[in-house]
Amino acid sequence: MSEIGPEAAKLQAALIDLGFAMEGEQIVKDGHRADLVAKRGGEAYVVEVKIQVPFRRTQFLGAIAHGILQLRDLKQSEPARRPLLAVWVEKGKPNAAREFESYVQHHAPEIDWLIVDASGGRKWKIGGDQGEGAGEGRVSIQPPNSAP
């Protein structure tokens, strides 16, 4: 990705904090370009970025649904890459992460995800790694299938 906004840059920094390396490769399918391409360990990822400013529940869930559809579409042309939905919300309402997690788990449990808010709060489920953090680095990590 050549030029990214400040919110997308914060998502990218959060991914790097979680051990990802960004790749310069471009992935395009039917006119849609993956926002980021990344690697962590032996896994390659295609990342769809969604920015929600200001937080409005219906628009937020619509953006999440759109992100899921885009990732499923990109996955068809990049089957070796895992789909990851990265979301940035301005002033994450206390329920934003919970609603996001619930929506993705219900509608797209196969998709890995990361949510970051303007204060630096983070929550993620990526390749069996699940946790919450603030600022740089990891604050708490739970094994898969454990309650957050």
Side-chain angles (χ1 to χ4, degrees), residues 83-135:
L84 193 157
L85 182 57
V87 175
W88 189 90
V89 292
E90 178 186 61
K91 295 183 182 176
K93 303 276 185 184
N95 60 341
R98 187 173 49 250
E99 285 196 40
F100 172 70
E101 181 178 7
S102 175
Y103 190 90
V104 174
Q105 184 60 39
H106 180 75
H107 296 286
E110 77 282 5
I111 290 178
D112 290 331
W113 54 266
L114 164 70
I115 185 169
V116 176
D117 69 25
S119 70
R122 303 169 181 181
K123 191 168 185 176
W124 65 87
K125 182 198 75 77
I126 301 172
D129 181 16
Q130 190 169 347
E132 293 183 46

Side-chain angles (χ1 to χ4, degrees), residues 25-67:
E25 179 182 351
Q26 297 286 316
I27 297 175
V28 180
K29 181 173 188 290
D30 298 331
H32 179 75
R33 179 177 50 87
D35 294 318
L36 299 170
V37 180
K39 258 191 176 164
R40 182 169 85 160
E43 292 283 341
Y45 291 81
V46 60
V47 183
E48 180 71 17
V49 170
K50 294 296 177 191
I51 312 288
Q52 189 65 41
V53 179
F55 178 85
R56 290 190 180 98
R57 185 178 186 275
T58 55
Q59 291 175 348
F60 178 65
L61 295 178
I64 301 314
H66 183 260

